[in-house]
Amino acid sequence: MVAGVALLPNWSAGAAVTDDPTVDTATKATFQKLADAVFTDRTQALVGGTSEGRKQRTSGFSGEVRLSGTQSRQEDSALSQLRGRKSRLAALGEQYSAGSTSVKLDATQVKGRRATVAVTETTSLTYKKVTGNEPPTTGFQAHHELTFQADRGGNWQLTRIKDTDEGYLAVNQVAKPEVAKVQVKADDSPPDAPRAATTRPAPAKPKTLTGTGYDYKAMVAYATKYWSKYNTEYPDFNGAGAGGDCTNFVSQSLKAGGWKHVPGYTNDFHKWFGTADIQSDSFVGVNEFSWFALSSQRVTSLANVYQADIGDVIQMDFNKDGSKDHTMIVTKRDAQGVPYVTYHSTNTYNRSVASLVASYPTAAFYAYRT
């Protein structure tokens, strides 16, 4: 994978911010190939077999485009953490037999000796048939920003990788430290959700899928349809400063299964509604959703995340500061009692709860029976 083309950085000031025409197609292609190698290495670190002995794709790059020394050490650390995650997953009864990653270059910005490349990663992992009840695959799309620095000889080094989705729960991403947040409560003291245990086996808690007035299969069908291709009838809250689309997506799925609007002021957590034009805080906010769902008695808390079934909701507080950070909907439950979740930010389909627990062993989990 050593690049064999002359790579031409743009030395002029004020370079175009998107797809600068002075950066030739071969250079852009090599940026894309190195990005593909980085994320493929991360995916393969989770796949069964001896990934430690597998040749890393990034090691094939030298000269014109390569990892910087610092970034190389960071990638080694990331791969080590992912192999540890693979071992924890195996202990929980989950393994992957194959993985596939592709990277699409979305935009290139060049200014002086610095290039910024925006890419979209699409990854699929095949579940190894450990119990025989696993879904075929899990997959996600993630967006990243790569920074390259060039020397005067025209050699580019990848110096930084930034995940640009609001969430960072992709299967092959490494957890990052969270900055503590202050939880703001309304005057009428919204309800606190009890934490859910993550131990197995979980106490039996069967769910009645009929006669409740809700169509749980419709919830799953909606989440399956729109996990990567967003429904244009609703706003998309991904992007800088938007806060993430995870709760908005889960609310849409619940609405598709029969949850009805409760109109009112947007900031009243007792209200819940969402359209193309206006959404309540409880429709799109992680904590506000929990407050509405519990106070309206549309949900009850589950004692253990492994009790969750299709159409149920799971939330996470990454750093246990009391403010929840992420919302997901259960789209499958296998015969061994493992729920699988689908979510936005980062767009992910049928990821097992075991994978979440192994990836975030210090996070707090909350589970809701809908």
Side-chain angles (χ1 to χ4, degrees), residues 15-356:
V17 297
T18 303
D19 293 326
D20 190 324
T22 65
V23 183
D24 61 272
T25 302
T27 301
K28 293 181 180 180
T30 311
F31 285 159
Q32 184 270 335
K33 288 180 182 178
L34 180 54
D36 191 274
V38 167
F39 298 114
T40 295
D41 281 346
R42 293 185 182 185
T43 299
Q44 292 304 316
L46 293 169
V47 175
T50 310
S51 57
E52 292 87 345
R54 217 179 264 141
K55 182 177 176 62
Q56 295 180 22
R57 294 196 176 194
T58 50
S59 65
F61 287 82
S62 62
E64 294 94 339
V65 174
R66 64 185 187 276
L67 296 178
S68 68
T70 299
Q71 190 62 43
S72 180
R73 289 189 293 273
Q74 291 178 355
E75 285 307 302
D76 286 343
S77 175
L79 296 179
S80 177
Q81 291 182 60
L82 289 168
R83 290 168 188 141
R85 182 180 302 173
K86 179 177 71 172
S87 298
R88 292 194 298 274
L89 270 173
L92 291 168
E94 178 171 311
Q95 297 179 49
Y96 305 119
S97 60
S100 173
T101 291
S102 63
V103 171
K104 179 174 71 71
L105 188 147
D106 299 318
T108 303
Q109 301 174 332
V110 176
K111 186 174 182 180
R113 297 186 177 91
R114 185 174 185 270
T116 304
V117 180
V119 301
T120 298
E121 172 196 0
T122 301
T123 287
S124 176
L125 284 156
T126 301
Y127 286 109
K128 184 177 180 180
K129 293 303 180 182
V130 178
T131 66
N133 294 286
E134 298 85 352
T137 61
T138 181
F140 67 87
Q141 292 176 332
H143 302 89
H144 312 281
E145 182 180 285
L146 282 65
T147 301
F148 294 84
Q149 292 288 142
D151 60 26
R152 293 190 179 276
N155 298 317
W156 292 100
Q157 293 187 42
L158 175 58
T159 59
R160 181 172 181 258
I161 298 173
K162 176 184 176 183
D163 303 322
T164 56
D165 294 305
E166 291 289 346
Y168 50 86
L169 283 171
V171 180
N172 67 356
Q173 286 177 318
V174 178
K176 305 173 184 67
E178 283 285 312
V179 177
K181 304 173 186 176
V182 176
Q183 183 174 5
V184 178
K185 289 196 172 186
D187 292 338
D188 57 351
S189 298
D192 289 324
R195 292 179 183 175
T198 58
T199 53
R200 294 187 68 191
K205 189 72 172 180
K207 182 176 185 178
T208 302
L209 298 179
T210 59
T212 63
Y214 298 132
D215 187 341
Y216 299 109
K217 291 183 179 179
M219 296 175 185
V220 172
Y222 184 95
T224 300
K225 181 177 181 179
Y226 291 111
W227 74 269
S228 63
K229 184 179 181 180
Y230 287 26
N231 187 347
T232 56
E233 294 181 2
Y234 294 92
D236 174 2
F237 291 101
N238 276 325
D245 200 62
C246 60
T247 307
N248 184 37
F249 170 67
V250 169
S251 290
Q252 292 171 34
S253 301
L254 296 172
K255 182 179 172 181
W259 276 37
K260 303 299 183 184
H261 282 175
V262 182
Y265 291 108
T266 58
N267 62 354
D268 183 350
F269 72 82
H270 297 291
K271 310 304 179 184
W272 184 86
F273 53 90
T275 67
D277 302 315
I278 189 170
Q279 306 81 35
S280 64
D281 293 350
S282 60
F283 199 90
V284 300
V286 182
N287 291 289
E288 293 86 348
F289 172 87
S290 174
W291 299 340
F292 167 78
L294 289 169
S295 63
S296 66
Q297 299 184 353
R298 289 193 180 182
V299 304
T300 55
S301 292
L302 293 169
N304 192 299
V305 289
Y306 285 102
Q307 294 173 328
D309 207 334
I310 64 168
D312 289 340
V313 174
I314 294 175
Q315 294 186 316
M316 292 178 65
D317 174 2
F318 297 131
N319 63 348
K320 294 183 179 178
D321 66 351
S323 180
K324 303 173 189 67
D325 302 293
H326 193 52
T327 308
M328 303 160 283
I329 188 165
V330 178
T331 47
K332 179 181 171 61
R333 178 181 171 88
D334 69 20
Q336 274 59 49
V338 177
Y340 294 77
V341 293
T342 296
Y343 53 86
H344 281 180
S345 311
T346 303
N347 305 336
T348 297
Y349 174 65
N350 271 355
R351 183 174 185 179
S352 75
V353 165
S355 173
L356 293 173

